[in-house]
Amino acid sequence: MENPNIGQEIYDLCARMFPLCRSITGDGVRETLKIIQEYIGQDDIRLNIHEVPTGTEIFDWTVPKEWKIREAYIEDESGKRIIDMKENNLHVLGYSVPVDKYVTLDELKTCVYTEKNQPEVIPYVTSYYKERYGFCMSQNQLDSLTEGTYHIYIDSELFDGSLTYADVVIPGETDEELMFTSYTCHPSMANNECSGPAVLAALMRYVKQLKNHRYTYRFVLNPETIGAIAYLSFNLDQLKKHLKAGIVLSCVGDDRDYSIVHSLYGDTLADKSLFNVVKTRDKYTEYSFLDRGSDEREFNAPGVELPVVGFCRTKYGKYPEYHTSDDNMDLVSPEGFKGSYEVLTRWIDCMEWNRYYRVTVLGEPQLGKRGLYPTVSKKGSYDEVLTLKHLIAYATGKNDLFDISELIKVPAYELIPMVDKLKSNALFEEM
């Protein structure tokens, strides 16, 4: 049953996650997962939380130390705080080590990051794998500072802890899997990346209410890059054996565009099926794997090579607010979230109906005696069932639903009720 308020529900969930200071490790990730668990319900779907200890070898990588941040600010000579992470957690360089010292303006400028081409915004900057401290502010604010002494303070620590990720597997009638992933490591930016986990949580609910679904569904929430690598290091054999198609969700809350980022060669079922749905929208952009940048990188990496694509509204890096303080709750909207949800639930429905179909009779079937064709022939009556006849013509057992859709130029989701009618009349069989 369609939920008319789904866009607002996802927006509200995104707003709950937005204030948290997240990184690739730490309590911000854990708090985000708690919020998602509350949304999806305690009884119907349980997140499986995994903690991977610092120092664990995961392929060519090593799980880093865990980061805890309590406070970060800069004060002028009068003791006035000119920036404070309590006002915006983008003000602190991600993974900063602690510092407590007094510096000149020139010294201050060596540890402050700005976005010169967008002088009004606070940029999002991190240093995960080299220890340093730093702050972020707008270029305009930095330019307004006067000569003097400044107190820079960061209360943080790096320690042997763990990296946190979560997954949920909802069993289907077969062990063939469809997978959705998103990441939980970005601080207060709404589209990148509170939006992905919020839509993914709504998709968990959608799948849970499906009856007799063929596929087993896997949902994964992890820190970007390092979390995906960790997940793959523990689950690659399972995914290699059972995964039919996967989608990485990123930047899915705005209302400007729809985007697909293809797999390594763009030739998997994930590519074919998602593009079939995305291109039905009024505006869409198709990107090759050369334009990758999210976790589709890891799922298509050498030796991994899984059938996984990326889905966005406006693609990461392609909108001016990306990785800045302007990526706030004003950038995303209930309408934007609803559009993403519609694309992805249509994709689920199409995948559930996707088969190689074959007509059960020899030659063209007589549709009239089955109530599938007008019994009075007149001008225009043929047009009403032309799509149905095209569907039958290509149901030779050699084409799946998406192949037929492309051949007859009708979206796959529009063919589903016709396939249902033909199956009900014993005219279609599954190969």
Side-chain angles (χ1 to χ4, degrees), residues 262-295:
H262 281 292
S263 66
L264 191 63
Y265 297 105
D267 60 354
T268 72
L269 177 58
D271 296 276
K272 178 172 70 172
S273 57
L274 182 60
F275 186 55
N276 185 275
V277 180
V278 166
K279 71 179 183 178
T280 65
R281 312 309 280 187
D282 290 337
K283 182 180 180 182
Y284 68 90
T285 305
E286 184 180 13
Y287 296 95
S288 81
F289 189 70
L290 299 179
D291 295 305
R292 66 195 179 280
S294 185
D295 275 344

Side-chain angles (χ1 to χ4, degrees), residues 23 58 141 191 341:
S23 189
I58 46 174
Q141 185 175 20
N191 208 29
Y341 181 82

Side-chain angles (χ1 to χ4, degrees), residues 26-45:
D27 290 336
V29 175
R30 299 181 185 105
E31 290 299 317
T32 299
L33 295 177
K34 286 180 182 178
I35 290 172
I36 291 171
Q37 182 65 75
E38 290 173 7
Y39 172 81
I40 60 180
Q42 298 292 326
D43 298 324
D44 291 341
I45 310 169

Side-chain angles (χ1 to χ4, degrees), residues 1-13 39-40 198-199 201-207 209-210 334-335 337-343 345 349:
M1 184 175 181
E2 186 173 338
N3 179 359
N5 299 315
I6 190 62
Q8 186 65 51
E9 286 185 11
I10 301 173
Y11 180 90
D12 292 343
L13 176 59
Y39 172 81
I40 60 180
V199 171
L203 294 176
M204 290 187 207
R205 281 185 168 185
Y206 182 80
V207 169
Q209 57 84 38
L210 291 179
E335 293 76 19
F337 281 121
K338 183 181 179 183
S340 289
Y341 181 82
E342 287 176 348
V343 164
T345 52
D349 293 344

Side-chain angles (χ1 to χ4, degrees), residues 93-104:
L93 174 75
Y95 251 60
S96 281
V97 298
V99 64
D100 183 3
K101 62 189 294 189
Y102 291 83
V103 298
T104 65

